[in-house]
Amino acid sequence: MQYLLLIYADENAAPQPGTPEFGPFMQGYQEFTTHLQEKNAFVSGDELQPVATASTVTMENGKMEVTDGPFAETKEQLGGYYLVEAENLDMALEYASMIPSAAHGRVEVRPVVKY
Amino acid sequence: MLAALTKTLNDLQLAEDCLQDAVEVALRKWTDQDIPSSPSAWLITTAKRKAIDRIRRDANFASKEKQISHLLEMTSTSEQEPDLDAIPDKRLELLFTCCHPSLAEKTKVALTLNTVGGLNVDEIAHAFIEKKSTMAQRLARAKKKIKLAGIPYEIPALDLLPERLRDVLSVIYLIFNEGYSSSSGETLTNVDLSTEAIRVARILEQLLPDETEVSGLLALMLLHDSRRYARLNNDGQMIALEDQNRQKWDKGKFREGKALLTNTLKKQKIGPYQLQASISALHNESPSWEKTDWAQISALYQLLFQLQPSPVVRLNQAMAVSYAESIEPAMDILDEIAEHKNIQKYQPYYVARADLARRAGDVKRAKVYLNQAIELTNNEIEKEFLIKKMS
């Protein structure tokens, strides 16, 4: 099965560039990605630009409406994702727990629909 | 049988439906002269055939081809009825699935009662004072989530096992306590959740005989349950442990619980349920409230607090200390936990406060605390009990 791991965290709570924590934090991500690749579990994964860069689109009467900002203003923002291949939910949950941002944020695990 | 089928089909809902189909066939086909030598095995084989039919009817035929050929292989190789022992016991797997941390608490309880305990939707809805349709929906949603989210039908890997087993045990204990105190009802329900919890724990104990906390929980529930008929008087009013007629305690349940506990403690893998069972056993063994071994109970609560540092444990310890030593050190313990947010809405805390105040001769304060306790109770039987205490 495929699972989307959605990484939510307060952007200001993550280790910031220039601090001593930042290096190990980024290295943690690199190691996690490598781990997924070695397990043949990595499908894709990316970091997103800060939520300040977000735009939200909806169609109103056939016309595109764009608003500044994310779909919902929340304390924690979607900052990145991994799409992984996992045998079952337990496996996917284990991967989610290994994501460095899980230490200060949260990871939502969603099974992907397969047609 | 349901557990075995679920494991084979990897789909709880499908397994239930097919087993139902097979039972219907059996009701039509089986007559007095014509009962198969192993009815269970016959049902399983028939259910598997029904599963093939059902999957074939399914729109996503192409994507299910693999599942069908797997099933066909299984039914063709077992054309002769297999004997019952050959059906693998999958109840443990099913129990772990039902108590998976990704399910809500109430859902875990309902699923466990429905699939492992064998209560029907009506009975579970009744026990939880919920509409049948609401409960049916809850169960259907849960089964759908299990399937779509890929919650495994497996015994968790060794590194996950201790944590997951704790989840399972806490669900069983929750079921027991719901039946024991029936916190949300006016009278006790006719579905006996406590007995049901004990039944599930017995199954688990058979399957995992070396897990001492499983045995500990079973022993604890048996010991608690041995006092159930002494807990209410003829009018259905609650009687405190202190005032119970000890002759009414069920000696059979006590003996079974105590023997199980003694055997388990020998294995020297102590845990919270074993400690609570030990405390419960000390009450059972005492000829009266006054002769209770309070010093030992207090020491056991101290141990329990080290494993489970919760204010509720300290509260119980305080009461033991009040008898083993005196009122003052007990009050000190209550002062120490007073600020805890979990304790401020905890009814037994105010009952304990009232009791200590009364025994110290401060009737006025005792009444204030009792009033607070009454306000926090929504169970009619308990409320009556507290109001009676007031006078």
Side-chain angles (χ1 to χ4, degrees), chain A residues 1 3 87-90 93-94 111-112, chain B residues 100 102 148-152 154 160 164:
Chain A
M1 286 179 72
Y3 294 87
E87 195 190 324
N88 56 41
L89 183 62
D90 280 348
L93 293 176
E94 196 191 325
V112 170
Chain B
H100 197 273
S102 72
L148 295 181
I151 296 178
E154 276 170 18
L160 273 180
R164 291 287 167 86

Short mmCIF file of all heavy atoms in Angstrom, two decimals, chain A residues 1 3 87-90 93-94 111-112, chain B residues 100 102 148-152 154 160 164:
data_model
loop_
_atom_site.label_atom_id
_atom_site.label_comp_id
_atom_site.label_asym_id
_atom_site.label_seq_id
_atom_site.Cartn_x
_atom_site.Cartn_y
_atom_site.Cartn_z
N MET A 1 0.83 -1.19 0.00
CA MET A 1 0.00 0.00 0.00
C MET A 1 0.87 1.25 0.00
O MET A 1 2.00 1.22 0.46
CB MET A 1 -0.88 0.03 1.26
CG MET A 1 -2.03 -0.96 1.23
SD MET A 1 -2.98 -0.86 2.74
CE MET A 1 -3.83 0.72 2.54
N TYR A 3 1.19 5.21 1.32
CA TYR A 3 0.72 6.13 2.35
C TYR A 3 1.37 7.49 2.13
O TYR A 3 2.56 7.57 1.79
CB TYR A 3 1.10 5.64 3.74
CG TYR A 3 0.42 4.36 4.15
CD1 TYR A 3 0.98 3.12 3.81
CD2 TYR A 3 -0.76 4.37 4.87
CE1 TYR A 3 0.36 1.94 4.19
CE2 TYR A 3 -1.39 3.20 5.25
CZ TYR A 3 -0.83 1.98 4.91
OH TYR A 3 -1.44 0.81 5.28
N GLU A 87 3.91 -2.02 3.86
CA GLU A 87 3.11 -3.24 3.86
C GLU A 87 1.77 -3.04 4.56
O GLU A 87 0.75 -3.55 4.11
CB GLU A 87 3.92 -4.32 4.58
CG GLU A 87 3.42 -5.72 4.37
CD GLU A 87 4.14 -6.67 5.31
OE1 GLU A 87 5.35 -6.45 5.56
OE2 GLU A 87 3.49 -7.60 5.80
N ASN A 88 1.80 -2.28 5.64
CA ASN A 88 0.56 -2.03 6.39
C ASN A 88 0.70 -0.76 7.21
O ASN A 88 1.75 -0.10 7.18
CB ASN A 88 0.21 -3.23 7.28
CG ASN A 88 1.34 -3.58 8.22
OD1 ASN A 88 1.98 -2.70 8.79
ND2 ASN A 88 1.62 -4.87 8.36
N LEU A 89 -0.36 -0.43 7.95
CA LEU A 89 -0.36 0.82 8.71
C LEU A 89 0.75 0.87 9.76
O LEU A 89 1.37 1.92 9.96
CB LEU A 89 -1.73 1.03 9.38
CG LEU A 89 -1.89 2.35 10.14
CD1 LEU A 89 -1.75 3.55 9.23
CD2 LEU A 89 -3.24 2.40 10.86
N ASP A 90 1.03 -0.25 10.40
CA ASP A 90 2.09 -0.25 11.41
C ASP A 90 3.43 0.18 10.83
O ASP A 90 4.17 0.94 11.43
CB ASP A 90 2.23 -1.65 12.04
CG ASP A 90 1.17 -1.89 13.11
OD1 ASP A 90 0.52 -0.91 13.49
OD2 ASP A 90 1.01 -3.04 13.53
N LEU A 93 3.26 3.88 10.11
CA LEU A 93 3.36 4.66 11.35
C LEU A 93 4.80 4.70 11.83
O LEU A 93 5.27 5.70 12.35
CB LEU A 93 2.46 4.03 12.44
CG LEU A 93 0.95 4.10 12.21
CD1 LEU A 93 0.21 3.35 13.32
CD2 LEU A 93 0.47 5.54 12.14
N GLU A 94 5.50 3.59 11.65
CA GLU A 94 6.90 3.57 12.07
C GLU A 94 7.72 4.56 11.25
O GLU A 94 8.53 5.32 11.80
CB GLU A 94 7.47 2.16 11.94
CG GLU A 94 8.77 2.02 12.71
CD GLU A 94 9.51 0.74 12.42
OE1 GLU A 94 8.83 -0.28 12.19
OE2 GLU A 94 10.75 0.77 12.40
N PRO A 111 -3.72 6.71 3.96
CA PRO A 111 -3.60 5.72 2.88
C PRO A 111 -4.03 6.33 1.56
O PRO A 111 -4.96 7.15 1.52
CB PRO A 111 -4.55 4.61 3.31
CG PRO A 111 -5.42 5.17 4.36
CD PRO A 111 -4.74 6.37 4.95
N VAL A 112 -3.37 5.91 0.49
CA VAL A 112 -3.64 6.46 -0.84
C VAL A 112 -4.60 5.52 -1.57
O VAL A 112 -4.45 4.30 -1.49
CB VAL A 112 -2.32 6.61 -1.62
CG1 VAL A 112 -2.57 6.95 -3.08
CG2 VAL A 112 -1.45 7.68 -0.97
N HIS B 100 -6.12 -1.49 17.99
CA HIS B 100 -5.04 -0.72 17.37
C HIS B 100 -5.11 0.75 17.79
O HIS B 100 -6.20 1.32 17.86
CB HIS B 100 -5.17 -0.83 15.84
CG HIS B 100 -3.92 -0.42 15.12
ND1 HIS B 100 -3.66 0.89 14.79
CD2 HIS B 100 -2.86 -1.15 14.69
CE1 HIS B 100 -2.49 0.94 14.16
NE2 HIS B 100 -1.98 -0.28 14.09
N SER B 102 -4.74 3.39 16.34
CA SER B 102 -5.31 4.35 15.40
C SER B 102 -6.83 4.35 15.45
O SER B 102 -7.47 5.06 14.69
CB SER B 102 -4.83 4.06 13.98
OG SER B 102 -5.44 2.89 13.51
N LEU B 148 -9.26 0.05 4.78
CA LEU B 148 -8.68 1.08 3.91
C LEU B 148 -7.34 1.58 4.41
O LEU B 148 -6.46 1.91 3.61
CB LEU B 148 -9.65 2.24 3.75
CG LEU B 148 -10.95 1.92 3.02
CD1 LEU B 148 -11.83 3.16 2.91
CD2 LEU B 148 -10.68 1.34 1.64
N ALA B 149 -7.17 1.69 5.71
CA ALA B 149 -5.92 2.21 6.24
C ALA B 149 -4.85 1.13 6.36
O ALA B 149 -3.70 1.42 6.65
CB ALA B 149 -6.15 2.87 7.60
N GLY B 150 -5.24 -0.11 6.10
CA GLY B 150 -4.26 -1.19 6.15
C GLY B 150 -3.81 -1.52 7.57
O GLY B 150 -2.63 -1.79 7.80
N ILE B 151 -4.73 -1.47 8.53
CA ILE B 151 -4.39 -1.92 9.88
C ILE B 151 -4.18 -3.44 9.81
O ILE B 151 -5.06 -4.16 9.36
CB ILE B 151 -5.51 -1.58 10.88
CG1 ILE B 151 -5.65 -0.05 10.98
CG2 ILE B 151 -5.21 -2.17 12.26
CD1 ILE B 151 -6.77 0.42 11.90
N PRO B 152 -3.00 -3.92 10.19
CA PRO B 152 -2.69 -5.34 9.94
C PRO B 152 -3.42 -6.30 10.87
O PRO B 152 -3.79 -5.95 11.99
CB PRO B 152 -1.18 -5.40 10.21
CG PRO B 152 -0.91 -4.27 11.14
CD PRO B 152 -1.90 -3.20 10.82
N GLU B 154 -2.18 -8.86 12.51
CA GLU B 154 -0.95 -9.54 12.87
C GLU B 154 -0.64 -9.34 14.34
O GLU B 154 -1.08 -8.36 14.94
CB GLU B 154 0.22 -8.97 12.06
CG GLU B 154 0.38 -9.58 10.70
CD GLU B 154 1.39 -8.81 9.86
OE1 GLU B 154 2.19 -8.05 10.44
OE2 GLU B 154 1.34 -8.96 8.63
N LEU B 160 7.16 -3.64 19.20
CA LEU B 160 5.88 -2.96 19.43
C LEU B 160 5.02 -3.70 20.45
O LEU B 160 4.10 -3.14 21.02
CB LEU B 160 5.10 -2.91 18.11
CG LEU B 160 5.32 -1.75 17.16
CD1 LEU B 160 4.43 -1.92 15.94
CD2 LEU B 160 5.03 -0.42 17.83
N ARG B 164 1.58 -2.49 22.59
CA ARG B 164 0.29 -2.88 22.03
C ARG B 164 -0.48 -3.79 22.97
O ARG B 164 -1.70 -3.74 23.05
CB ARG B 164 0.50 -3.60 20.68
CG ARG B 164 0.99 -2.69 19.59
CD ARG B 164 -0.11 -1.77 19.09
NE ARG B 164 0.39 -0.71 18.26
CZ ARG B 164 0.59 -0.82 16.96
NH1 ARG B 164 0.33 -1.94 16.35
NH2 ARG B 164 1.06 0.21 16.28
#
